[in-house]
Amino acid sequence: MSDDLKAAVIERCRRMEIPLVGVATTERWENPPFLPWMPEEFYPQSIFPEARSVIVIGLPVHLPVLETSPSIYYHELYKTVNTLLDQYTYRLASFLNDCGYPSVFVPRDGYGSIEVLLKNPVAFFSHRHAALLAGLGTFGVNNTLLTREYGPRVRFGSVFTAADLPPDPLLADDLCTRCMLCVEACPAGALVEEDYPEGLTDKAACARNSADLARRHISPCGICIKVCPVGEDRRHYGRGVPAGGEDPRHRRADEHVRRYGGL
């Protein structure tokens, strides 16, 4: 029955054109793949005690749009993807509730504004750790989750459910190339060369940079994910070289977009 239910969830995702789907049991939070790990209060079963499984979905951030960042173009794409993630996870939770399994969606960001992050730079749940435990990717030096398909250019949403669903295997291959392009490119100097979790993002520096971009209506930053060379999307868009490549047409397009829509 659990296999049939998981197949039905995956089919629902296919109909909603969701390209990445993974499942983790809540026990995986109690047996983390590395240390140090998050406090227990951030576990899904601490937030929704009925939770037995976590379904994680991922939607791509289109690389040519991201290459214009920081810009109004990427700003709008970011908002669109977040809205879709909230809608899709809500619909999946509703489907599972209709099947008789108590379930809830988790909002994509979980914080109110950049000003909130400046004072308390932690959301109440980490979708990237959930995606790791659902077998969708591995952490990079930029502290984001890298996927084979899109590198770090993907955003995740989660559903907590009382259904006991078969989990997906963790990704065995480490996808980060240690190229350090993200460290070198970060405008806030918020990244270091150590691997996650030893090398953590300077959240305060990152939040201050985001707050400045928000005042100019062109947040978020996106630099550390646009320069990452990992991901099949680079081949799809013909972007073999990070950050727009050497094609003057791409540079001209990026410069044009940045001139408008923000301050």
Side-chain angles (χ1 to χ4, degrees), residues 114 118 186-188 204-215 219 221 223:
I114 296 298
L118 287 169
C186 178
C206 186
R208 286 193 296 271
N209 182 56
S210 295
D212 177 65
L213 294 175
R215 285 189 288 271
S219 63
C221 172
I223 302 296

Side-chain angles (χ1 to χ4, degrees), residues 150-163:
Y150 311 106
R153 292 168 293 278
V154 55
R155 296 184 63 71
F156 299 103
S158 304
V159 173
F160 299 161
T161 179

Side-chain angles (χ1 to χ4, degrees), residues 36-216:
W37 190 241
M38 67 187 72
E40 186 176 350
E41 64 181 306
F42 293 95
Y43 292 8
Q45 55 271 48
S46 297
I47 299 167
F48 182 59
E50 295 84 352
R52 296 295 177 266
S53 303
V54 178
I55 302 165
V56 185
I57 64 170
L59 297 179
V61 172
H62 298 156
L63 178 57
V65 179
L66 175 63
E67 284 176 343
T68 69
S69 66
S71 69
I72 192 65
Y73 202 179
Y74 176 48
H75 172 83
E76 294 297 337
L77 174 62
Y78 183 92
K79 291 196 303 181
T80 297
V81 173
N82 278 2
T83 298
L84 288 171
L85 285 168
D86 286 347
Q87 292 176 351
Y88 290 163
T89 50
Y90 177 86
R91 291 171 65 182
L92 286 173
S94 296
F95 167 70
L96 289 163
N97 282 320
D98 290 343
C99 291
Y101 301 94
S103 304
V104 294
F105 94 110
V106 184
R108 172 39 238 167
D109 282 333
Y111 58 85
S113 66
I114 296 298
E115 286 70 24
V116 172
L117 288 182
L118 287 169
K119 297 180 180 180
N120 185 22
V122 180
F124 70 84
F125 182 71
S126 172
H127 295 283
R128 61 191 176 127
H129 286 85
L132 169 78
L133 295 179
L136 295 178
T138 62
F139 275 99
V141 170
N142 59 6
N143 293 185
T144 66
L145 201 78
L146 311 185
T147 65
R148 288 195 180 100
E149 297 85 354
Y150 311 106
R153 292 168 293 278
V154 55
R155 296 184 63 71
F156 299 103
S158 304
V159 173
F160 299 161
T161 179
D164 286 309
L165 300 175
D168 290 294
L170 299 183
L171 198 61
D173 300 331
D174 191 350
L175 299 180
C176 183
T177 66
R178 310 301 190 276
C179 66
M180 301 303 158
L181 288 173
C182 57
V183 176
E184 297 165 4
C186 178
L191 298 172
V192 294
E193 295 186 1
E194 286 79 9
D195 293 338
Y196 185 87
E198 287 79 13
L200 296 174
T201 301
D202 183 339
K203 294 180 180 179
C206 186
R208 286 193 296 271
N209 182 56
S210 295
D212 177 65
L213 294 175
R215 285 189 288 271
R216 297 161 57 195

Side-chain angles (χ1 to χ4, degrees), residues 244-255:
E246 299 177 351
D247 190 327
R249 298 174 305 166
H250 297 161
R251 289 198 300 272
R252 187 165 60 248
D254 297 345
E255 290 166 1

